[in-house]
Amino acid sequence: MIFTSSIYKIPIIKNVIVYDETDSTNNRAKDFGKNGCVDGTLVISDCQTAGRGRIGRSFSSPSGEGIYMSLLLKPEIDESLISQVTLLSGLAISRALNNDFQINTNIKWPNDLLLNQKKITGILTEKCEDFIVIGIGINVNNKQFDESIKDIATSLYLETDKEYEREELIEKIMKEFSDLYFTFLKEQNLKSIIDEYNSKLISYDKDIYVIPYEMTGKLNNSYQITDDTLPIFHCMGIAPDGSLICRDSSGKLSQLNTGEISIRNVH
Ligand code: BTN
């Protein structure tokens, strides 16, 4: 993949490192961070041999098809605010797809983007020493998926019948992220983007199952709910700290934090 100098005009980007192949761009970015690499280092690979998702899942990363990139940042914020940066990343991708390519995605709080109800993007944010790594995987020109994920994953190509230049997408996404990130560093909360975020939230004003992480591994990969005992909540959107406000059947409100649960819409 070849980038022109225009990527360096994006305020957040200080350094771009491109691989033809690596195990995981998150691993590379972590190594760079440990060796003192600058805030704003973007690591991109044409393919990954061991792309990672959350909860020990893998992320399919074939050559020439998707975007696999990790941004190393050293934000001077309290550790408790880091999960909000993940939410900003999802919004940045959704904004770029909408504004520059007229593709309308939904956000599945906190980490995924959906297109026509299927997963198009996953985000894996990892904290290490004094830096964070935001890993972004986007299914762009993929023509097919493995049997095990074909019902839940899709690509921009499969949904729009067009191929996209990954370099252009990456620049547009980083521009949106840069704007959102610098505003966030000043405000240290998500107040200014709550309405926009909720308007994209797939579960907004819907009933959802809240699934503790210990259980997500036990659900089969086709994402069917197999346990009737899961409580049902009504989703009221995100709070300024990025948590998800939910109402239980008795009317009691609670705020769910990222990292502790997973949610599925009740159909
Ligand atoms: C998920 O779906 O749970 C998150 C997927 C994150 C995938 C990206 S691809 C670039 C970066 N490198 C990785 O190994 N993972 C992230």
Side-chain angles (χ1 to χ4, degrees):
M1 294 170 86
I2 299 167
F3 289 86
T4 62
S5 59
S6 63
I7 195 160
Y8 287 104
K9 295 199 177 115
I10 304 169
I12 204 166
I13 302 294
K14 297 289 177 294
N15 191 12
V16 180
I17 299 163
V18 183
Y19 290 90
D20 287 335
E21 179 181 302
T22 188
D23 54 351
S24 154
T25 54
N26 268 31
N27 292 352
R28 292 291 71 70
K30 278 187 185 173
D31 289 345
F32 287 126
K34 287 177 193 162
N35 289 312
C37 235
V38 290
D39 177 50
T41 297
L42 181 63
V43 181
I44 303 167
S45 187
D46 178 54
C47 70
Q48 297 183 120
T49 52
R52 289 185 283 116
R54 293 192 310 156
I55 334 171
R57 293 197 174 119
S58 59
F59 189 83
S60 165
S61 312
S63 165
E65 302 197 350
I67 289 174
Y68 322 111
M69 62 178 176
S70 302
L71 181 63
L72 188 165
L73 293 173
K74 297 184 179 173
E76 292 189 356
I77 53 172
D78 191 83
E79 205 174 321
S80 63
L81 304 181
I82 288 170
S83 59
Q84 296 181 40
V85 181
T86 302
L87 271 57
L88 293 180
S89 319
L91 184 60
I93 303 164
S94 182
R95 268 192 188 177
L97 290 175
N98 197 9
N99 299 348
D100 299 301
F101 303 92
Q102 292 73 52
I103 299 171
N104 221 333
T105 51
N106 286 112
I107 297 172
K108 181 168 172 286
W109 181 92
N111 289 66
D112 294 342
L113 283 193
L114 307 180
L115 180 53
N116 299 334
Q117 314 278 333
K118 289 183 171 182
K119 177 163 166 168
I120 195 112
T121 295
I123 302 170
L124 176 68
T125 303
E126 297 182 299
K127 174 155 178 22
C128 194
E129 297 177 2
D130 63 338
F131 61 89
I132 60 170
V133 167
I134 304 170
I136 294 175
I138 308 177
N139 303 325
V140 181
N141 296 321
N142 313 54
K143 308 285 179 304
Q144 59 191 31
F145 289 92
D146 277 1
E147 194 61 30
S148 60
I149 55 169
K150 77 175 186 5
D151 292 337
I152 54 164
T154 192
S155 68
L156 297 182
Y157 172 81
L158 288 174
E159 300 301 315
T160 66
D161 237 1
K162 280 189 218 155
E163 295 209 14
Y164 296 83
E165 246 188 51
R166 291 172 298 164
E167 291 88 341
E168 186 190 0
L169 268 164
I170 289 172
E171 283 200 28
K172 303 280 191 205
I173 290 165
M174 282 299 133
K175 258 185 214 150
E176 296 290 354
F177 181 73
S178 188
D179 290 351
L180 285 164
Y181 180 70
F182 289 117
T183 306
F184 170 73
L185 288 187
K186 272 187 234 131
E187 296 179 354
Q188 309 249 326
N189 64 61
L190 301 179
K191 253 185 217 145
S192 60
I193 52 121
I194 285 184
D195 289 347
E196 181 187 2
Y197 194 95
N198 286 343
S199 73
K200 291 173 181 285
L201 198 58
I202 190 92
S203 54
Y204 185 68
D205 200 21
K206 295 204 179 94
D207 287 341
I208 55 171
Y209 294 105
V210 173
I211 307 161
Y213 264 159
E214 317 82 77
M215 272 190 68
T216 51
K218 293 190 188 124
L219 294 176
N220 64 37
N221 213 8
S222 64
Y223 281 26
Q224 296 303 312
I225 299 294
T226 52
D227 189 336
D228 295 336
T229 64
L230 288 172
I232 292 177
F233 291 83
H234 195 76
C235 171
M236 323 273 292
I238 59 162
D241 67 356
S243 59
L244 197 69
I245 307 170
C246 290
R247 196 182 59 216
D248 72 12
S249 54
S250 73
K252 188 171 156 253
L253 294 182
S254 46
Q255 288 184 217
L256 308 175
N257 293 306
T258 64
E260 288 161 17
I261 53 112
S262 176
I263 61 170
R264 307 266 196 285
N265 281 11
V266 175
H267 292 293

